[in-house]
Amino acid sequence: MNVLNDFIGLFFPNICPSCNRSLLRSENIICTICKSDLSFSDFNPSSKLKNNLKEGEFFFPLFNFINKGKAQALIHKLKYKNEPEIGELLGNWLAERIKASDSLPPFDLIIPIPLHKSKERKRGYNQSAKIAKGISEKLKIPTRMNILYRISVTETQTAKSKVSRIENVRGIFSIKEKSAVIKGKRILLVDDVVTTGSTVLSAYDYLKTNKAESVSIACIARA
């Protein structure tokens, strides 16, 4: 089988999405060199979130976001180049770091930040849901895709100011099921990138308003 895989690899090589080099047989999705160059983050809440999170709620970023860095390249491939397996792998990594932390809280549900249904159809998947799936596999916590949803399409946040980002996501979330589904639950909310925190905090506020006991936040990169 290894000989067959090597032969196939000559014509259809597995490529590292960060540096575009061919992967070795022992490497999974991302090459060892790129993985060693990634800027892993600590779990200290950023100033953008610490005033919003309550006691017993946590912020879990995997990487520090560096412009034109390795993490940015991976996220770009995940979101725009139809490589959902990157999200699941990064979710696995994030879950392993959460498990290794000294302050691991218990969670009842993992909820990914949803895309609007029109944007998800165009992309083919929700990148945050792929990350959530990777986390769920390692932490053995159920992921619920059918609770939180977007009620409107929003413009991209990339070029917006902090104030514009907040206004852009105000009131964009709702729930498909009765609030009893999340009442009293300890939720891990998952997004791909946290910049100002406006999107995750909009979802956070909505879940807390609907009686979630606690809402912690996990993401692949924080700016």
Side-chain angles (χ1 to χ4, degrees), residues 94 107-115 126-136 139 141-150 173-192 199-204 206-208 210-219:
L94 182 50
F107 299 114
D108 300 304
L109 297 173
I110 299 174
I111 298 179
I113 291 288
L115 291 176
N126 174 4
Q127 71 277 2
S128 295
K130 296 300 180 182
I131 297 164
K133 180 180 178 182
I135 297 173
S136 178
L139 296 187
I141 299 167
T143 299
R144 293 294 299 271
M145 310 289 187
N146 60 344
I147 294 178
L148 195 65
Y149 73 104
R150 290 188 186 240
F173 295 109
S174 186
I175 54 174
K176 292 184 178 180
E177 302 181 24
K178 294 180 180 180
S179 60
V181 177
I182 58 175
K183 184 178 180 180
K185 295 296 192 296
R186 298 160 296 186
I187 294 170
L188 182 63
L189 183 64
V190 177
D191 202 1
D192 53 358
T199 299
V200 290
L201 289 177
S202 180
Y204 170 95
Y206 195 83
L207 292 170
K208 293 298 288 281
N210 282 275
K211 310 302 182 183
E213 178 181 319
S214 66
V215 180
S216 294
I217 296 168
C219 67

Short mmCIF file of all heavy atoms in Angstrom, two decimals, residues 94 107-115 126-136 139 141-150 173-192 199-204 206-208 210-219:
data_model
loop_
_atom_site.label_atom_id
_atom_site.label_comp_id
_atom_site.label_asym_id
_atom_site.label_seq_id
_atom_site.Cartn_x
_atom_site.Cartn_y
_atom_site.Cartn_z
N LEU A 94 -6.47 22.70 18.51
CA LEU A 94 -7.03 23.59 19.53
C LEU A 94 -7.57 22.79 20.70
O LEU A 94 -7.35 23.14 21.87
CB LEU A 94 -8.11 24.47 18.90
CG LEU A 94 -8.79 25.51 19.79
CD1 LEU A 94 -7.78 26.36 20.54
CD2 LEU A 94 -9.70 26.40 18.95
N PHE A 107 -17.85 21.59 29.38
CA PHE A 107 -18.79 22.15 28.42
C PHE A 107 -19.88 21.13 28.13
O PHE A 107 -19.65 19.93 28.13
CB PHE A 107 -18.08 22.53 27.11
CG PHE A 107 -17.00 23.56 27.27
CD1 PHE A 107 -15.67 23.24 27.05
CD2 PHE A 107 -17.31 24.86 27.64
CE1 PHE A 107 -14.67 24.18 27.20
CE2 PHE A 107 -16.32 25.82 27.79
CZ PHE A 107 -15.00 25.48 27.57
N ASP A 108 -21.07 21.66 27.85
CA ASP A 108 -22.19 20.80 27.47
C ASP A 108 -22.37 20.75 25.96
O ASP A 108 -22.76 19.72 25.41
CB ASP A 108 -23.49 21.31 28.11
CG ASP A 108 -23.43 21.33 29.62
OD1 ASP A 108 -23.14 20.27 30.21
OD2 ASP A 108 -23.65 22.41 30.21
N LEU A 109 -22.11 21.88 25.28
CA LEU A 109 -22.34 21.99 23.85
C LEU A 109 -21.23 22.81 23.20
O LEU A 109 -20.68 23.73 23.81
CB LEU A 109 -23.67 22.69 23.56
CG LEU A 109 -24.97 22.04 24.02
CD1 LEU A 109 -26.14 23.00 23.76
CD2 LEU A 109 -25.20 20.73 23.28
N ILE A 110 -20.93 22.48 21.95
CA ILE A 110 -20.09 23.31 21.11
C ILE A 110 -20.98 23.90 20.02
O ILE A 110 -21.72 23.15 19.35
CB ILE A 110 -18.95 22.51 20.47
CG1 ILE A 110 -18.04 21.91 21.55
CG2 ILE A 110 -18.12 23.39 19.51
CD1 ILE A 110 -16.97 20.97 21.02
N ILE A 111 -20.95 25.21 19.86
CA ILE A 111 -21.77 25.87 18.84
C ILE A 111 -20.86 26.72 17.95
O ILE A 111 -20.20 27.63 18.44
CB ILE A 111 -22.85 26.77 19.48
CG1 ILE A 111 -23.81 25.93 20.32
CG2 ILE A 111 -23.61 27.54 18.40
CD1 ILE A 111 -24.90 26.74 21.00
N PRO A 112 -20.80 26.42 16.65
CA PRO A 112 -20.00 27.25 15.74
C PRO A 112 -20.76 28.52 15.34
O PRO A 112 -21.99 28.52 15.26
CB PRO A 112 -19.79 26.34 14.53
CG PRO A 112 -21.00 25.46 14.52
CD PRO A 112 -21.38 25.26 15.97
N ILE A 113 -20.01 29.59 15.11
CA ILE A 113 -20.61 30.80 14.55
C ILE A 113 -21.15 30.44 13.16
O ILE A 113 -20.40 29.94 12.31
CB ILE A 113 -19.57 31.92 14.43
CG1 ILE A 113 -19.17 32.43 15.82
CG2 ILE A 113 -20.10 33.07 13.57
CD1 ILE A 113 -20.22 33.24 16.54
N PRO A 114 -22.42 30.67 12.89
CA PRO A 114 -22.98 30.27 11.60
C PRO A 114 -22.70 31.28 10.49
O PRO A 114 -22.53 32.48 10.74
CB PRO A 114 -24.48 30.21 11.89
CG PRO A 114 -24.69 31.23 12.97
CD PRO A 114 -23.44 31.22 13.81
N LEU A 115 -22.66 30.78 9.27
CA LEU A 115 -22.71 31.62 8.09
C LEU A 115 -24.17 31.79 7.69
O LEU A 115 -25.00 30.94 8.02
CB LEU A 115 -21.96 30.98 6.92
CG LEU A 115 -20.44 30.88 7.00
CD1 LEU A 115 -19.91 30.12 5.79
CD2 LEU A 115 -19.79 32.24 7.10
N ASN A 126 -19.40 25.59 6.21
CA ASN A 126 -19.11 26.64 7.19
C ASN A 126 -17.77 26.31 7.83
O ASN A 126 -17.62 25.28 8.49
CB ASN A 126 -20.23 26.68 8.23
CG ASN A 126 -19.94 27.65 9.37
OD1 ASN A 126 -18.94 28.36 9.37
ND2 ASN A 126 -20.82 27.67 10.36
N GLN A 127 -16.78 27.17 7.65
CA GLN A 127 -15.44 26.89 8.17
C GLN A 127 -15.44 26.76 9.69
O GLN A 127 -14.70 25.93 10.25
CB GLN A 127 -14.44 27.95 7.72
CG GLN A 127 -14.57 29.33 8.35
CD GLN A 127 -15.62 30.19 7.65
OE1 GLN A 127 -16.27 29.75 6.71
NE2 GLN A 127 -15.75 31.42 8.11
N SER A 128 -16.26 27.53 10.39
CA SER A 128 -16.31 27.43 11.85
C SER A 128 -16.89 26.08 12.29
O SER A 128 -16.50 25.54 13.32
CB SER A 128 -17.13 28.58 12.44
OG SER A 128 -16.49 29.82 12.19
N ALA A 129 -17.81 25.55 11.49
CA ALA A 129 -18.38 24.23 11.80
C ALA A 129 -17.32 23.14 11.64
O ALA A 129 -17.31 22.16 12.39
CB ALA A 129 -19.57 23.94 10.90
N LYS A 130 -16.42 23.29 10.67
CA LYS A 130 -15.34 22.32 10.49
C LYS A 130 -14.37 22.38 11.67
O LYS A 130 -13.89 21.34 12.16
CB LYS A 130 -14.59 22.60 9.19
CG LYS A 130 -15.44 22.41 7.93
CD LYS A 130 -15.98 20.99 7.82
CE LYS A 130 -16.83 20.81 6.57
NZ LYS A 130 -17.38 19.44 6.48
N ILE A 131 -14.08 23.58 12.14
CA ILE A 131 -13.22 23.73 13.33
C ILE A 131 -13.91 23.09 14.54
O ILE A 131 -13.27 22.37 15.31
CB ILE A 131 -12.92 25.22 13.59
CG1 ILE A 131 -12.14 25.82 12.41
CG2 ILE A 131 -12.15 25.40 14.90
CD1 ILE A 131 -12.14 27.34 12.39
N ALA A 132 -15.21 23.37 14.70
CA ALA A 132 -15.97 22.81 15.82
C ALA A 132 -15.97 21.27 15.77
O ALA A 132 -15.87 20.61 16.81
CB ALA A 132 -17.40 23.34 15.79
N LYS A 133 -16.06 20.71 14.57
CA LYS A 133 -16.04 19.26 14.42
C LYS A 133 -14.72 18.69 14.93
O LYS A 133 -14.69 17.67 15.62
CB LYS A 133 -16.24 18.87 12.97
CG LYS A 133 -16.24 17.36 12.73
CD LYS A 133 -16.45 17.03 11.25
CE LYS A 133 -16.40 15.51 11.02
NZ LYS A 133 -16.55 15.18 9.57
N GLY A 134 -13.60 19.35 14.58
CA GLY A 134 -12.30 18.91 15.04
C GLY A 134 -12.16 18.99 16.56
O GLY A 134 -11.57 18.10 17.19
N ILE A 135 -12.71 20.03 17.16
CA ILE A 135 -12.69 20.16 18.61
C ILE A 135 -13.54 19.07 19.25
O ILE A 135 -13.14 18.43 20.22
CB ILE A 135 -13.20 21.55 19.04
CG1 ILE A 135 -12.27 22.66 18.52
CG2 ILE A 135 -13.31 21.64 20.57
CD1 ILE A 135 -12.79 24.07 18.76
N SER A 136 -14.72 18.85 18.69
CA SER A 136 -15.64 17.86 19.22
C SER A 136 -15.04 16.46 19.22
O SER A 136 -15.23 15.68 20.16
CB SER A 136 -16.94 17.88 18.40
OG SER A 136 -17.85 16.91 18.86
N LEU A 139 -12.54 16.45 22.28
CA LEU A 139 -13.07 16.71 23.61
C LEU A 139 -14.30 15.85 23.93
O LEU A 139 -14.76 15.83 25.07
CB LEU A 139 -13.44 18.19 23.76
CG LEU A 139 -12.29 19.20 23.67
CD1 LEU A 139 -12.81 20.60 24.01
CD2 LEU A 139 -11.15 18.83 24.61
N ILE A 141 -17.39 16.28 23.08
CA ILE A 141 -18.51 17.15 23.44
C ILE A 141 -19.36 17.34 22.18
O ILE A 141 -18.81 17.61 21.12
CB ILE A 141 -18.01 18.51 23.95
CG1 ILE A 141 -17.16 18.33 25.21
CG2 ILE A 141 -19.19 19.45 24.25
CD1 ILE A 141 -16.39 19.56 25.59
N PRO A 142 -20.67 17.20 22.27
CA PRO A 142 -21.50 17.31 21.07
C PRO A 142 -21.50 18.72 20.48
O PRO A 142 -21.47 19.71 21.19
CB PRO A 142 -22.91 16.93 21.56
CG PRO A 142 -22.88 17.18 23.03
CD PRO A 142 -21.48 16.89 23.47
N THR A 143 -21.52 18.76 19.15
CA THR A 143 -21.64 20.02 18.41
C THR A 143 -23.07 20.15 17.92
O THR A 143 -23.63 19.21 17.36
CB THR A 143 -20.67 20.05 17.22
OG1 THR A 143 -19.33 19.95 17.70
CG2 THR A 143 -20.81 21.34 16.43
N ARG A 144 -23.65 21.34 18.11
CA ARG A 144 -25.01 21.58 17.65
C ARG A 144 -24.99 22.66 16.57
O ARG A 144 -24.61 23.80 16.82
CB ARG A 144 -25.89 22.03 18.81
CG ARG A 144 -26.14 20.95 19.85
CD ARG A 144 -26.96 19.78 19.32
NE ARG A 144 -28.27 20.19 18.88
CZ ARG A 144 -29.34 20.24 19.67
NH1 ARG A 144 -29.24 19.88 20.95
NH2 ARG A 144 -30.51 20.61 19.19
N MET A 145 -25.37 22.28 15.36
CA MET A 145 -25.40 23.21 14.23
C MET A 145 -26.77 23.86 14.07
O MET A 145 -26.92 24.79 13.30
CB MET A 145 -25.06 22.46 12.93
CG MET A 145 -23.83 21.60 12.99
SD MET A 145 -22.32 22.58 13.06
CE MET A 145 -21.10 21.26 12.91
N ASN A 146 -27.77 23.35 14.77
CA ASN A 146 -29.15 23.75 14.50
C ASN A 146 -29.72 24.67 15.57
O ASN A 146 -30.93 24.74 15.76
CB ASN A 146 -30.04 22.50 14.38
CG ASN A 146 -30.02 21.67 15.65
OD1 ASN A 146 -29.16 21.84 16.49
ND2 ASN A 146 -30.98 20.77 15.78
N ILE A 147 -28.87 25.35 16.30
CA ILE A 147 -29.35 26.26 17.34
C ILE A 147 -29.23 27.72 16.89
O ILE A 147 -30.22 28.42 16.75
CB ILE A 147 -28.60 26.04 18.67
CG1 ILE A 147 -28.91 24.64 19.23
CG2 ILE A 147 -28.96 27.11 19.68
CD1 ILE A 147 -28.18 24.31 20.50
N LEU A 148 -28.02 28.14 16.64
CA LEU A 148 -27.76 29.54 16.30
C LEU A 148 -27.73 29.70 14.78
O LEU A 148 -27.17 28.86 14.08
CB LEU A 148 -26.40 29.94 16.89
CG LEU A 148 -26.05 31.43 16.96
CD1 LEU A 148 -26.98 32.17 17.92
CD2 LEU A 148 -24.59 31.60 17.41
N TYR A 149 -28.36 30.74 14.28
CA TYR A 149 -28.29 31.01 12.85
C TYR A 149 -28.33 32.50 12.58
O TYR A 149 -28.73 33.30 13.44
CB TYR A 149 -29.40 30.28 12.09
CG TYR A 149 -30.79 30.85 12.25
CD1 TYR A 149 -31.37 31.60 11.23
CD2 TYR A 149 -31.53 30.60 13.40
CE1 TYR A 149 -32.66 32.11 11.37
CE2 TYR A 149 -32.81 31.10 13.54
CZ TYR A 149 -33.37 31.86 12.52
OH TYR A 149 -34.63 32.37 12.67
N ARG A 150 -27.89 32.88 11.38
CA ARG A 150 -27.88 34.29 10.99
C ARG A 150 -29.19 34.64 10.30
O ARG A 150 -29.64 33.91 9.42
CB ARG A 150 -26.72 34.59 10.03
CG ARG A 150 -25.35 34.53 10.70
CD ARG A 150 -24.29 35.03 9.73
NE ARG A 150 -22.97 34.85 10.29
CZ ARG A 150 -22.10 35.83 10.52
NH1 ARG A 150 -22.42 37.07 10.21
NH2 ARG A 150 -20.91 35.59 11.03
N PHE A 173 -28.13 37.49 14.85
CA PHE A 173 -28.29 36.09 15.23
C PHE A 173 -29.67 35.82 15.82
O PHE A 173 -30.30 36.69 16.43
CB PHE A 173 -27.22 35.68 16.24
CG PHE A 173 -25.82 35.70 15.69
CD1 PHE A 173 -24.92 36.66 16.09
CD2 PHE A 173 -25.42 34.77 14.74
CE1 PHE A 173 -23.63 36.68 15.57
CE2 PHE A 173 -24.14 34.78 14.22
CZ PHE A 173 -23.24 35.74 14.64
N SER A 174 -30.11 34.59 15.66
CA SER A 174 -31.33 34.11 16.29
C SER A 174 -31.15 32.62 16.56
O SER A 174 -30.11 32.05 16.24
CB SER A 174 -32.55 34.36 15.39
OG SER A 174 -33.73 34.02 16.08
N ILE A 175 -32.15 31.99 17.19
CA ILE A 175 -32.08 30.55 17.44
C ILE A 175 -33.27 29.87 16.78
O ILE A 175 -34.36 30.41 16.71
CB ILE A 175 -32.03 30.20 18.94
CG1 ILE A 175 -33.20 30.84 19.69
CG2 ILE A 175 -30.71 30.58 19.54
CD1 ILE A 175 -33.28 30.42 21.13
N LYS A 176 -33.03 28.66 16.28
CA LYS A 176 -34.07 27.90 15.59
C LYS A 176 -34.96 27.14 16.55
O LYS A 176 -36.08 26.78 16.22
CB LYS A 176 -33.44 26.91 14.59
CG LYS A 176 -32.76 27.58 13.42
CD LYS A 176 -32.24 26.54 12.44
CE LYS A 176 -31.60 27.20 11.23
NZ LYS A 176 -31.08 26.21 10.26
N GLU A 177 -34.43 26.86 17.73
CA GLU A 177 -35.19 26.08 18.69
C GLU A 177 -35.48 26.93 19.92
O GLU A 177 -34.92 28.01 20.09
CB GLU A 177 -34.41 24.82 19.08
CG GLU A 177 -34.07 23.93 17.90
CD GLU A 177 -33.31 22.69 18.33
OE1 GLU A 177 -33.43 22.29 19.49
OE2 GLU A 177 -32.60 22.13 17.49
N LYS A 178 -36.35 26.44 20.79
CA LYS A 178 -36.68 27.17 21.99
C LYS A 178 -35.44 27.37 22.87
O LYS A 178 -34.53 26.56 22.86
CB LYS A 178 -37.76 26.43 22.78
CG LYS A 178 -39.10 26.37 22.05
CD LYS A 178 -40.13 25.63 22.88
CE LYS A 178 -41.47 25.58 22.15
NZ LYS A 178 -42.48 24.85 22.95
N SER A 179 -35.45 28.43 23.63
CA SER A 179 -34.28 28.75 24.46
C SER A 179 -33.99 27.67 25.49
O SER A 179 -32.90 27.63 26.05
CB SER A 179 -34.49 30.10 25.15
OG SER A 179 -35.65 30.07 25.98
N ALA A 180 -34.96 26.77 25.75
CA ALA A 180 -34.73 25.68 26.71
C ALA A 180 -33.56 24.81 26.29
O ALA A 180 -32.92 24.15 27.12
CB ALA A 180 -35.99 24.83 26.84
N VAL A 181 -33.25 24.76 24.98
CA VAL A 181 -32.15 23.95 24.49
C VAL A 181 -30.81 24.43 25.06
O VAL A 181 -29.92 23.63 25.31
CB VAL A 181 -32.10 23.99 22.95
CG1 VAL A 181 -30.90 23.21 22.42
CG2 VAL A 181 -33.38 23.43 22.36
N ILE A 182 -30.67 25.74 25.27
CA ILE A 182 -29.40 26.27 25.77
C ILE A 182 -29.51 26.77 27.22
O ILE A 182 -28.48 27.10 27.82
CB ILE A 182 -28.88 27.42 24.87
CG1 ILE A 182 -29.89 28.56 24.78
CG2 ILE A 182 -28.53 26.89 23.50
CD1 ILE A 182 -29.37 29.76 24.01
N LYS A 183 -30.71 26.78 27.77
CA LYS A 183 -30.88 27.27 29.14
C LYS A 183 -30.08 26.42 30.11
O LYS A 183 -30.18 25.20 30.15
CB LYS A 183 -32.36 27.24 29.53
CG LYS A 183 -32.63 27.83 30.91
CD LYS A 183 -34.12 27.83 31.22
CE LYS A 183 -34.38 28.43 32.59
NZ LYS A 183 -35.84 28.45 32.91
N GLY A 184 -29.22 27.10 30.88
CA GLY A 184 -28.41 26.42 31.89
C GLY A 184 -27.22 25.66 31.33
O GLY A 184 -26.50 24.99 32.08
N LYS A 185 -26.95 25.75 30.03
CA LYS A 185 -25.86 25.00 29.40
C LYS A 185 -24.57 25.80 29.41
O LYS A 185 -24.56 27.03 29.33
CB LYS A 185 -26.22 24.64 27.95
CG LYS A 185 -27.40 23.71 27.81
CD LYS A 185 -27.11 22.35 28.41
CE LYS A 185 -28.16 21.31 28.02
NZ LYS A 185 -29.50 21.63 28.52
N ARG A 186 -23.46 25.07 29.48
CA ARG A 186 -22.11 25.66 29.39
C ARG A 186 -21.64 25.46 27.96
O ARG A 186 -21.39 24.33 27.53
CB ARG A 186 -21.19 24.97 30.40
CG ARG A 186 -21.64 25.17 31.84
CD ARG A 186 -21.07 24.14 32.78
NE ARG A 186 -21.56 22.80 32.45
CZ ARG A 186 -21.30 21.71 33.18
NH1 ARG A 186 -20.60 21.81 34.29
NH2 ARG A 186 -21.76 20.54 32.80
N ILE A 187 -21.51 26.55 27.23
CA ILE A 187 -21.33 26.50 25.79
C ILE A 187 -19.93 26.96 25.40
O ILE A 187 -19.40 27.92 25.96
CB ILE A 187 -22.39 27.39 25.09
CG1 ILE A 187 -23.79 26.79 25.31
CG2 ILE A 187 -22.10 27.53 23.59
CD1 ILE A 187 -24.91 27.69 24.88
N LEU A 188 -19.34 26.25 24.42
CA LEU A 188 -18.10 26.68 23.79
C LEU A 188 -18.48 27.20 22.40
O LEU A 188 -18.92 26.45 21.54
CB LEU A 188 -17.11 25.53 23.69
CG LEU A 188 -15.74 25.89 23.07
CD1 LEU A 188 -15.01 26.93 23.93
CD2 LEU A 188 -14.88 24.66 22.89
N LEU A 189 -18.31 28.51 22.19
CA LEU A 189 -18.66 29.17 20.93
C LEU A 189 -17.41 29.24 20.06
O LEU A 189 -16.37 29.70 20.52
CB LEU A 189 -19.19 30.57 21.24
CG LEU A 189 -19.69 31.44 20.10
CD1 LEU A 189 -20.92 30.82 19.43
CD2 LEU A 189 -20.00 32.85 20.62
N VAL A 190 -17.50 28.79 18.81
CA VAL A 190 -16.32 28.63 17.96
C VAL A 190 -16.39 29.53 16.72
O VAL A 190 -17.39 29.53 16.00
CB VAL A 190 -16.17 27.16 17.51
CG1 VAL A 190 -14.99 27.00 16.56
CG2 VAL A 190 -15.99 26.26 18.73
N ASP A 191 -15.31 30.27 16.48
CA ASP A 191 -15.19 31.10 15.28
C ASP A 191 -13.82 30.85 14.66
O ASP A 191 -12.96 30.20 15.27
CB ASP A 191 -15.36 32.58 15.64
CG ASP A 191 -15.78 33.44 14.45
OD1 ASP A 191 -15.97 32.88 13.34
OD2 ASP A 191 -15.91 34.66 14.61
N ASP A 192 -13.60 31.36 13.45
CA ASP A 192 -12.29 31.17 12.83
C ASP A 192 -11.29 32.22 13.30
O ASP A 192 -10.22 31.89 13.80
CB ASP A 192 -12.40 31.14 11.29
CG ASP A 192 -13.11 32.34 10.71
OD1 ASP A 192 -13.57 33.21 11.47
OD2 ASP A 192 -13.23 32.42 9.47
N THR A 199 -18.27 40.02 16.21
CA THR A 199 -19.15 38.93 15.79
C THR A 199 -19.40 37.94 16.92
O THR A 199 -20.55 37.60 17.22
CB THR A 199 -18.55 38.19 14.57
OG1 THR A 199 -18.41 39.11 13.49
CG2 THR A 199 -19.46 37.06 14.13
N VAL A 200 -18.32 37.47 17.56
CA VAL A 200 -18.51 36.47 18.62
C VAL A 200 -19.24 37.08 19.81
O VAL A 200 -20.03 36.39 20.47
CB VAL A 200 -17.18 35.84 19.08
CG1 VAL A 200 -16.60 34.95 18.01
CG2 VAL A 200 -16.18 36.88 19.53
N LEU A 201 -19.03 38.36 20.10
CA LEU A 201 -19.72 38.97 21.23
C LEU A 201 -21.20 39.18 20.94
O LEU A 201 -22.02 39.14 21.85
CB LEU A 201 -19.03 40.28 21.62
CG LEU A 201 -17.67 40.12 22.28
CD1 LEU A 201 -17.04 41.47 22.55
CD2 LEU A 201 -17.77 39.32 23.58
N SER A 202 -21.54 39.41 19.67
CA SER A 202 -22.95 39.49 19.30
C SER A 202 -23.63 38.15 19.55
O SER A 202 -24.73 38.08 20.13
CB SER A 202 -23.10 39.90 17.83
OG SER A 202 -24.46 39.98 17.46
N ALA A 203 -22.98 37.06 19.15
CA ALA A 203 -23.52 35.71 19.40
C ALA A 203 -23.50 35.40 20.90
O ALA A 203 -24.45 34.81 21.43
CB ALA A 203 -22.70 34.68 18.63
N TYR A 204 -22.43 35.78 21.57
CA TYR A 204 -22.30 35.59 23.02
C TYR A 204 -23.48 36.23 23.75
O TYR A 204 -24.14 35.60 24.59
CB TYR A 204 -20.98 36.19 23.48
CG TYR A 204 -20.78 36.30 24.97
CD1 TYR A 204 -20.11 35.30 25.67
CD2 TYR A 204 -21.24 37.41 25.68
CE1 TYR A 204 -19.91 35.41 27.05
CE2 TYR A 204 -21.06 37.51 27.04
CZ TYR A 204 -20.39 36.52 27.73
OH TYR A 204 -20.20 36.62 29.08
N TYR A 206 -26.39 37.03 22.64
CA TYR A 206 -27.65 36.39 22.31
C TYR A 206 -27.82 35.09 23.10
O TYR A 206 -28.91 34.79 23.62
CB TYR A 206 -27.75 36.12 20.82
CG TYR A 206 -29.16 35.79 20.38
CD1 TYR A 206 -30.08 36.81 20.13
CD2 TYR A 206 -29.58 34.48 20.28
CE1 TYR A 206 -31.39 36.50 19.77
CE2 TYR A 206 -30.88 34.17 19.92
CZ TYR A 206 -31.78 35.19 19.67
OH TYR A 206 -33.06 34.90 19.33
N LEU A 207 -26.75 34.31 23.21
CA LEU A 207 -26.82 33.05 23.96
C LEU A 207 -27.03 33.31 25.45
O LEU A 207 -27.80 32.60 26.10
CB LEU A 207 -25.54 32.23 23.74
CG LEU A 207 -25.35 31.68 22.32
CD1 LEU A 207 -23.94 31.10 22.16
CD2 LEU A 207 -26.40 30.63 21.97
N LYS A 208 -26.37 34.33 25.98
CA LYS A 208 -26.55 34.64 27.40
C LYS A 208 -27.95 35.18 27.67
O LYS A 208 -28.56 34.89 28.70
CB LYS A 208 -25.49 35.66 27.85
CG LYS A 208 -24.05 35.14 27.85
CD LYS A 208 -23.86 33.96 28.82
CE LYS A 208 -23.88 34.38 30.28
NZ LYS A 208 -22.62 34.99 30.75
N ASN A 210 -30.53 34.25 26.22
CA ASN A 210 -31.39 33.07 26.20
C ASN A 210 -30.99 32.05 27.26
O ASN A 210 -31.23 30.85 27.11
CB ASN A 210 -31.39 32.45 24.80
CG ASN A 210 -32.28 33.22 23.85
OD1 ASN A 210 -33.48 33.00 23.79
ND2 ASN A 210 -31.69 34.15 23.10
N LYS A 211 -30.36 32.55 28.34
CA LYS A 211 -30.17 31.80 29.59
C LYS A 211 -29.08 30.74 29.56
O LYS A 211 -29.11 29.80 30.38
CB LYS A 211 -31.50 31.16 30.06
CG LYS A 211 -32.69 32.11 30.11
CD LYS A 211 -32.45 33.29 31.02
CE LYS A 211 -33.68 34.19 31.10
NZ LYS A 211 -33.45 35.40 31.94
N ALA A 212 -28.12 30.84 28.62
CA ALA A 212 -26.96 29.95 28.74
C ALA A 212 -26.25 30.25 30.05
O ALA A 212 -26.10 31.41 30.43
CB ALA A 212 -26.02 30.16 27.56
N GLU A 213 -25.80 29.21 30.74
CA GLU A 213 -25.12 29.43 32.02
C GLU A 213 -23.78 30.13 31.82
O GLU A 213 -23.43 31.07 32.54
CB GLU A 213 -24.89 28.10 32.75
CG GLU A 213 -24.14 28.26 34.07
CD GLU A 213 -23.91 26.93 34.77
OE1 GLU A 213 -24.83 26.09 34.78
OE2 GLU A 213 -22.80 26.74 35.31
N SER A 214 -23.02 29.67 30.83
CA SER A 214 -21.74 30.29 30.51
C SER A 214 -21.45 30.10 29.03
O SER A 214 -21.93 29.15 28.41
CB SER A 214 -20.60 29.68 31.35
OG SER A 214 -20.40 28.32 31.01
N VAL A 215 -20.68 31.04 28.48
CA VAL A 215 -20.29 30.97 27.07
C VAL A 215 -18.80 31.31 27.00
O VAL A 215 -18.40 32.46 27.22
CB VAL A 215 -21.10 31.94 26.18
CG1 VAL A 215 -20.63 31.81 24.74
CG2 VAL A 215 -22.59 31.66 26.29
N SER A 216 -17.99 30.31 26.71
CA SER A 216 -16.56 30.52 26.44
C SER A 216 -16.36 30.59 24.93
O SER A 216 -17.22 30.14 24.16
CB SER A 216 -15.72 29.39 27.05
OG SER A 216 -15.80 29.43 28.47
N ILE A 217 -15.24 31.15 24.51
CA ILE A 217 -15.00 31.40 23.09
C ILE A 217 -13.70 30.74 22.67
O ILE A 217 -12.68 30.85 23.36
CB ILE A 217 -14.95 32.90 22.81
CG1 ILE A 217 -16.32 33.55 23.12
CG2 ILE A 217 -14.55 33.19 21.36
CD1 ILE A 217 -16.28 35.07 23.15
N ALA A 218 -13.74 30.03 21.53
CA ALA A 218 -12.54 29.44 20.95
C ALA A 218 -12.41 29.90 19.51
O ALA A 218 -13.41 30.08 18.81
CB ALA A 218 -12.61 27.91 21.00
N CYS A 219 -11.18 30.10 19.06
CA CYS A 219 -10.96 30.51 17.68
C CYS A 219 -9.59 30.02 17.22
O CYS A 219 -8.74 29.65 18.03
CB CYS A 219 -11.05 32.04 17.52
SG CYS A 219 -9.74 32.96 18.34
#
